[in-house]
Amino acid sequence: YNHYAYGYALTQKKSPPLFLALDEMKKVLSIEPRFAQAHQTMGWIYQQLEKKYPGQEPWLEKSLISFDTAVDLIDSTIDYEMYNAVLLNKGYSYFLLGKTDLCFSTWLELELRQPVWQNEKQQFLFRLFFIRASIQQKFYDVALDQAVLAQTLDNISDENRKVITTLMATINFVEKEYIEALALYDRALMLHQKIIKGSNKKQQMLNSPASKLIVLRMKMLTLFAMEKF
């Protein structure tokens, strides 16, 4: 277990030496192949390797093998939080691979287990990606439920609120709830203006045009659809 403790400590560094941490996990598993935490940590390391060295190896596929092994070894009723953590990471690997059907089913299982989140940032990111996976799978009711839950978080930024509001508006547009969509696009534009007023000139130049044009375009499409229908 010394190899695991050392390898895990390496993953907590600001710039973790990923290959060294991976070697430590492999040493652990050569001694105790049923050590679930090592499989889980190895899966996380593979995810980070994909971020740092994208496409050089099938890192995400390797991460899923590690997460699947961890799931098989964990008692989901006893090691409740660890099982939830594996589901969270497993769904993210599916999302990055574009397998949103498997991502959706994995994260739906996680959501039904009512996980305890480490902090609001972790919960927000989960709900944001779950919204996107739900939209891609056309489970718009689930996407809206997740958006509402994300909006109730206290410490999310106005930028993140704008993103969630825009997604909610788009869902309503797809569902032909045009009046609600229009109101949400207007709210997103108000948040955009608030963000711009509170930022410096450099940030305004970087953030202003593209995101505003997207929201305005969708607002115009909504107005057109309201006239048509």
Side-chain angles (χ1 to χ4, degrees):
Y1 294 104
N2 289 337
H3 287 298
Y4 176 75
Y6 178 54
Y8 182 78
L10 290 174
T11 68
Q12 301 303 298
K13 288 177 172 283
K14 188 174 181 180
S15 297
L18 295 171
F19 288 109
L20 183 56
L22 183 63
D23 286 342
E24 292 301 312
M25 293 303 139
K26 288 179 178 179
K27 289 175 184 177
V28 176
L29 293 172
S30 68
I31 300 167
E32 179 47 77
R34 294 183 60 81
F35 190 9
Q37 290 95 326
H39 286 288
Q40 178 192 7
T41 303
M42 183 178 285
W44 180 87
I45 293 169
Y46 283 133
Q47 283 184 337
Q48 305 313 304
L49 285 169
E50 172 61 23
K51 290 180 182 178
K52 195 167 184 178
Y53 308 105
Q56 287 192 11
E57 288 194 34
W59 304 119
L60 294 174
E61 289 83 354
K62 289 181 178 182
S63 76
L64 286 170
I65 293 171
S66 294
F67 293 139
D68 282 338
T69 304
V71 165
D72 290 340
L73 294 171
I74 298 168
D75 187 324
S76 63
T77 59
I78 296 174
D79 295 316
Y80 198 83
E81 294 307 321
M82 182 180 170
Y83 188 84
N84 289 349
V86 176
L87 289 181
L88 179 65
N89 286 317
K90 183 179 175 182
Y92 187 54
S93 286
Y94 280 136
F95 186 92
L96 294 176
L97 283 166
K99 298 181 178 181
T100 51
D101 54 338
L102 296 173
C103 171
F104 178 85
S105 60
T106 302
W107 280 346
L108 183 61
E109 180 186 354
L110 173 61
E111 179 68 356
L112 292 174
R113 287 170 60 83
Q114 299 181 328
V116 176
W117 300 102
Q118 292 180 8
N119 50 59
E120 284 199 348
K121 180 181 179 181
Q122 183 193 47
Q123 182 179 174
F124 174 81
L125 289 173
F126 164 72
R127 300 207 184 282
L128 176 61
F129 283 102
F130 196 12
I131 290 165
R132 289 172 173 165
S134 300
I135 290 172
Q136 290 187 42
Q137 291 301 304
K138 299 183 179 180
F139 287 107
Y140 300 122
D141 54 341
V142 176
L144 279 174
D145 287 343
Q146 291 300 309
V148 169
L149 289 169
Q151 291 277 34
T152 63
L153 298 176
D154 293 327
N155 297 316
I156 63 172
S157 66
D158 285 332
E159 180 63 39
N160 285 335
R161 289 192 187 281
K162 184 186 77 173
V163 170
I164 296 297
T165 302
T166 304
L167 286 170
M168 291 175 72
T170 303
I171 295 165
N172 276 278
F173 176 82
V174 172
E175 293 279 81
K176 298 182 180 179
E177 299 290 342
Y178 298 123
I179 294 175
E180 181 66 19
L182 190 60
L184 287 163
Y185 283 128
D186 282 337
R187 191 184 305 169
L189 286 168
M190 289 174 64
L191 284 166
H192 180 82
Q193 290 304 119
K194 181 181 177 183
I195 293 164
I196 294 302
K197 286 182 180 178
S199 60
N200 59 43
K201 288 185 178 180
K202 183 177 180 180
Q203 290 173 322
Q204 289 176 19
M205 290 176 67
L206 288 172
N207 299 330
S208 177
S211 59
K212 184 175 181 179
L213 283 173
I214 290 169
V215 178
L216 282 172
R217 182 174 178 273
M218 289 306 300
K219 180 180 176 180
M220 291 178 67
L221 285 172
T222 305
L223 287 167
F224 175 78
M226 289 173 72
E227 287 291 325
K228 188 174 180 180
F229 290 92

